[in-house]
Every structure is written in C-alpha cells, then in structure tokens.
C-alpha cells in the first residue's frame, strides 16, 4: 500500500446513517420524564404494545403481550432462545454461509451445530432436500435468516414454503426466524418470513427482530423475540438472571421507532438499493469475480476464488483480505468468517464515493 493511501472501509456491519431525529427527541423526552430506573424484565408495557402493533401492521401477524420479550439487541433474543431450548445432546441446524454468531450459540449451549450447506448456483438459498437431510431425532432448532447476512440474498415466498413443508413433518423442531434485515428488501416481492407462508408453524417459531438495522440504532441495543407464551416465559426468566433488561431510555427510543412510521426507513432503503445497484454494476466489470447482486441487507458475497488463484503468495480468502488491505487499501471481511471460504463479504454501508473508489481499485487490479 502506498504511503498516505486512504483505507476504504467495505467491512461495516451497521448502517452509516444517524438515528432519525424523532427517535432521538423521544429519548431526550424520556430522560426528562424520568425513564432512568428499572423496567419490567420483559420490557415496558408501552414498548411491548408498540412491537405488537408493528407485527400486526408490517407482518400481518398477531401476538399477545405475553408472547413478546424485549432483549438487549436481536443477538440476545437468539441467545435466550438457544439457552432455553438446547440441551447438550441436541442439534441446531444452521444454513451456511452464516452470520458468525450462530455457531457460537451452539457452542455456548453445549449443543451440536449441523451445517446445512447452500450453493452459489442456488443463490445461497437453502434447498428443502438439504434441510431434510440435516434433520434427525436430535434436531431441536433450525435458524433461518432473510434477508441474509452475509449473502445479501432474500428468500421468496415459494422458497420459504418449500422449507416450511419440510419442517411441518418434524413437530419437535423449533424455528428461529432472524428477521433483523426485514425492511432492507430490494426485490419486487413484499418481505415474508416463514410464518407468512406457513402459519401453522407459529406454535414453534420464534421471530427475532429489533431496531438496529432498519432504524440505524445499532448502539441502542434493543431487540425482541415473539413466540409461544411458554417459551417466551422461560426466556424471560433466563434474561432476568443475566442482563435483566436494556436501558429504559433505549426502550422508549425503540417504542418511538416502531410507532413513528417508516418514512425514514424508506429513505434509507432507497439509498441502499442505489448502492446495491452501484456495486453490482462495478463488480460486473471485473472478469475474475463472480457474484449475485444483493437483494437485501447491505452486503454482497462475491466469489474471489479466481482472484486467489491469480495471486502469488495468496492461498485463501484470509490471506486475500490481508493482500487487499496492504496492496489496494480495501478492507473487507474474509468469507471464512461466515463459512464461505474463497469469498469476501463486501459491505455497501459506505458512501458512493468510497464504493466507487473501491470498485475502481478492484477493477484495475483484477479486471
């Protein structure tokens, strides 16, 4: 890397937008109104009502307040569910490539992770026959994530329905539907999760969501789980002996986000969609890189295997990550972090100038 060359950060895992002002104003008012003390472990009643209304309005799904648990980010909702459901002899099925936290959930619960591999040729979409081959008498949890981190792909209703038809045959298996990128959907189809296409799975599905990605509130740490009342009750007990709850002021901010409409979200999505197109156009000019255009989230997972083969002294994607940083001044996350060796996760949570410069450097090096 040349001395003084700038580093282009294409590795971010959070939106590069500020939290919308109405949400910040609501938090300030909450502080003035005295929301500085403990809250119920499950969350402020007003927050739980806002989540109930969000699920009805955005997802056409109906939950009672005792079927909802607020958490310290969506990550804790996943953790609570796994620690509540899993025993050491149980298995958790995780489609790969996968977000890096999922395998850790299995490790912490002393359960066994079963990889359900997806293929580039299938847009990294889990195929029903692959899912079925992974399911055994020991299977306790299947995780589904759409829009997907790290692939940027979105499951269609038909693809979810095919998976749902398999899961219907295994009544002891719970589904964790990680919907955190829900609103960052650039396809022509409305967003759908597994319950929108297979509502009969509701008694063993936990929806995982929050405000981090759609509302640019990663630092506020507010997520939620919605699921069967008996399971949510046990998850709340577990949370009560760990973090108790997130800050009261953060809960009021999340309440304002859910109650405040989606105008700011739609404005952010418009920008991300434009960036996804910019990235797709730029990558399409590079012969040695294969990719699927991002359909959601703010990630793309290009295949760099031919690039790796062309570089002396670079044997894998981790070494490629070092090479890109040292030689081109580009920071990306190696695909091995997501069980996707030979790939690199490119984040377009960066401004157009940064993306254009990064794509230009890649094109000059490999085009």
């Amino acid at each position: 890397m040349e001395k003084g060359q700038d580093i282009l950060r294409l590795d971010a895992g959070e939106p590069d937008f500020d939290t919308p002002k109405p949400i910040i104003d609501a938090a300030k008012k909450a502080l003035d109104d005295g929301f500085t003390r403990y809250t119920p472990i499950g969350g402020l009643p007003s927050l739980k009502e806002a989540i109930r209304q969000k699920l009805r309005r955005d997802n056409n799904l109906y939950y009672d307040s005792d079927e909802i648990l607020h958490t310290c980010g969506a990550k804790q909702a996943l953790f609570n569910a796994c620690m509540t459901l899993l025993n050491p002899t149980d298995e958790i099925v995780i489609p790969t490539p996968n977000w890096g936290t999922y395998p850790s959930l299995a490790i912490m619960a002393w359960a066994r992770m079963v990889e359900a591999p997806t293929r580039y040729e299938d847009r990294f979409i889990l195929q029903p026959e692959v899912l079925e081959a992974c399911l055994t008498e020991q299977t306790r949890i299947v995780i589904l994530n759409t829009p997907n981190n790290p692939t940027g792909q979105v499951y269609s209703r038909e693809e979810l329905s095919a998976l749902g038809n398999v899961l219907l045959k295994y009544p002891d298996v719970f589904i964790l539907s990680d919907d955190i990128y829900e609103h960052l959907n650039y396809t022509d189809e409305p967003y759908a999760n597994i319950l929108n296409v297979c509502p009969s799975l509701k008694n063993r599905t936990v929806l995982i969501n929050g405000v981090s990605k759609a509302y640019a509130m990663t630092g506020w740490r507010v997520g939620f789980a919605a699921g069967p009342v008996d399971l949510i009750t046990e998850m709340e007990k577990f949370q009560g002996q760990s973090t108790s709850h997130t800050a009261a002021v953060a809960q009021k901010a999340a309440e304002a986000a859910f109650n405040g409409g989606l105008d700011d979200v739609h404005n952010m999505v418009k920008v991300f969609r434009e960036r996804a197109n910019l990235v797709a156009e730029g990558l399409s000019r590079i012969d040695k890189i294969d990719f699927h255009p991002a359909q959601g989230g703010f990630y793309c997972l290009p295949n760099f295997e031919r690039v790796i083969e062309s570089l002396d002294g670079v044997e894998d994607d981790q070494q490629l990550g070092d090479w890109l940083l040292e030689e081109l001044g580009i920071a990306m996350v190696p695909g091995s972090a997501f069980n996707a060796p030979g790939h690199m996760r490119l984040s377009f949570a960066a401004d157009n100038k940064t993306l254009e410069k990064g794509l230009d450097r890649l094109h000059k090096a490999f085009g």
Side-chain angles (χ1 to χ4, degrees):
M1 184 173 63
E2 295 181 8
K3 185 176 181 180
Q5 182 176 353
D6 55 338
I7 302 298
L8 305 178
R9 296 292 304 271
L10 305 183
D11 60 342
E14 61 179 342
D16 57 320
F17 294 87
D18 293 329
T19 301
K21 187 175 184 301
I23 297 172
I24 294 175
D25 289 342
K28 292 177 180 178
K29 183 177 185 303
L31 290 173
D32 290 337
D33 291 345
F35 282 92
T36 58
R37 299 180 181 275
Y38 289 138
T39 76
I41 292 168
L44 290 166
S46 55
L47 171 59
K48 295 175 76 171
E49 179 60 23
I51 294 170
R52 263 187 9 100
Q53 295 302 322
K54 172 262 180 293
L55 291 167
R56 179 190 60 78
R57 179 186 66 244
D58 298 344
N59 309 105
N60 197 30
L61 296 171
Y62 294 81
Y63 288 85
D64 293 327
S65 61
D66 58 0
E67 296 176 302
I68 293 169
L69 173 68
H70 107 289
T71 56
C72 297
K75 183 181 288 187
Q76 188 185 28
L78 288 161
F79 179 73
N80 288 352
C82 288
M83 295 302 290
T84 302
L85 285 170
L86 292 171
N87 289 310
T89 58
D90 291 335
E91 296 174 348
I92 175 171
V93 175
I94 300 174
T96 60
N98 56 267
W99 180 42
T101 290
Y102 294 152
S104 298
L105 297 172
I107 293 170
M108 288 187 286
W110 295 92
R112 176 173 175 261
M113 172 184 168
V114 176
E115 295 184 9
T118 65
R119 303 190 311 160
Y120 176 87
E121 294 80 1
D122 298 320
R123 294 182 16 258
F124 301 115
I125 297 298
L126 179 62
Q127 300 301 297
E129 64 273 14
V130 175
L131 173 60
E132 186 144 29
C134 292
L135 299 176
T136 71
E137 291 183 357
Q138 283 71 48
T139 306
R140 186 62 166 161
I141 291 175
V142 172
I143 294 182
L144 298 176
N145 171 221
T146 179
N148 186 267
N149 175 13
T151 70
Q153 298 303 297
V154 176
Y155 282 74
S156 69
R157 295 180 69 92
E158 292 74 20
E159 290 161 343
L160 287 170
S161 181
L163 299 178
N165 288 336
V166 172
L167 292 164
L168 286 170
K169 295 186 286 186
Y170 295 84
D172 295 327
V173 174
F174 279 80
I175 301 98
L176 302 187
S177 181
D178 185 348
D179 303 347
I180 193 65
Y181 294 94
E182 164 193 7
H183 289 296
L184 307 185
N185 173 23
Y186 319 131
T187 70
D188 294 330
E189 295 186 21
Y191 174 78
N193 62 32
I194 191 71
L195 291 186
N196 295 128
V197 298
C198 279
S200 55
L201 291 171
K202 186 180 179 185
N203 66 338
R204 49 194 179 93
T205 295
V206 182
L207 302 183
I208 308 292
N209 211 325
V211 295
S212 292
K213 311 301 184 181
Y215 298 93
M217 295 177 65
T218 51
W220 297 81
R221 307 311 302 139
V222 183
F224 69 84
V229 61
D230 291 344
L231 176 57
I232 293 296
T233 298
E234 294 305 310
M235 289 170 61
E236 183 173 333
K237 291 178 184 177
F238 180 83
Q239 181 167 299
Q241 302 305 320
S242 55
T243 60
S244 293
H245 57 77
T246 196
V249 63
Q251 292 186 49
K252 294 300 289 184
E255 177 187 328
F258 289 132
N259 286 337
L262 294 172
D263 287 348
D264 288 310
V265 174
H266 291 160
N267 290 336
M268 184 172 68
V269 169
K270 180 176 182 292
V271 174
F272 275 136
R273 181 184 287 110
E274 292 170 352
R275 292 177 181 175
N277 292 335
L278 187 157
V279 168
E281 181 180 347
L283 290 176
S284 68
R285 297 186 294 117
I286 305 173
D287 293 337
K288 291 189 177 73
I289 298 176
D290 301 307
F291 73 102
H292 292 293
Q295 297 179 323
F298 36 80
Y299 310 113
C300 183
L301 191 69
N303 185 318
F304 277 76
E305 289 176 329
R306 288 189 289 147
V307 168
I308 293 170
E309 291 173 1
S310 71
L311 293 174
D312 293 334
V314 175
E315 302 294 332
D316 55 36
D317 57 276
Q318 296 188 44
Q319 291 181 4
L320 176 62
D322 293 336
W323 190 94
L324 290 172
L325 185 61
E326 290 295 327
E327 300 298 327
L328 302 185
I330 297 174
M332 285 192 281
V333 183
S336 294
F338 310 101
N339 277 317
H343 296 70
M344 301 294 291
R345 191 187 74 173
L346 189 162
S347 168
F348 46 92
D351 60 44
N352 284 14
K353 181 179 179 181
T354 298
L355 292 171
E356 289 167 355
K357 289 176 69 175
L359 292 164
D360 183 61
R361 291 180 189 180
L362 290 172
H363 182 256
K364 288 178 178 177
F366 309 124

